[in-house]
Amino acid sequence: MTHDSSAAIMAVAFFGAIAVSVRSIASVWMKRIDARRESIPLNMLDEKLTRIDQAVDVIALEVERISEAQRFTARLLAERDIAKIPQAPRASDPRTITPH
């Protein structure tokens, strides 16, 4: 064998080893990806989505109750403030103070 043929054999062996390594790594990655896809069965996914849907409905109901309570409190405060405002003097009262 000459130096050129041994270098060519070494190059082919090196690139062959690289190709086998890349193929092995890709195979492992593909198996992991497939395992992730199959890890959650569809019926479990449907159950999970149903629970999320129910939770969103409950949260929407609670937010509506909170907003109703805020409207009620704001109305009470407004009525209380109106009750504190002094009534305008009657026309028969000679001591009428006019605002400036």
Side-chain angles (χ1 to χ4, degrees):
M1 280 192 160
T2 64
H3 181 62
D4 290 335
S5 62
S6 64
I9 292 173
M10 291 285 285
V12 169
F14 175 75
F15 287 115
I18 295 292
V20 169
S21 298
V22 168
R23 182 158 162 65
S24 299
I25 292 170
S27 173
V28 168
W29 281 354
M30 291 305 292
K31 286 179 185 177
R32 286 185 182 176
I33 290 171
D34 289 342
R36 286 182 188 160
R37 287 183 187 156
E38 295 173 0
S39 67
I40 301 176
L42 291 179
N43 61 350
M44 288 183 69
L45 187 60
D46 287 340
E47 291 173 9
K48 198 174 209 179
L49 288 174
T50 301
R51 288 194 308 264
I52 290 172
D53 188 33
Q54 291 171 349
V56 168
D57 289 342
V58 168
I59 290 170
L61 181 64
E62 291 299 320
V63 167
E64 181 61 31
R65 289 177 66 196
I66 291 169
S67 63
E68 184 63 33
Q70 286 178 333
R71 284 191 292 270
F72 178 73
T73 304
R75 191 182 80 222
L76 286 179
L77 290 174
E79 289 172 358
R80 185 182 76 177
D81 291 342
I82 289 174
K84 287 183 178 179
I85 296 175
Q87 297 296 325
R90 294 186 203 138
S92 63
D93 190 0
R95 299 179 296 143
T96 304
I97 300 174
T98 57
H100 299 291

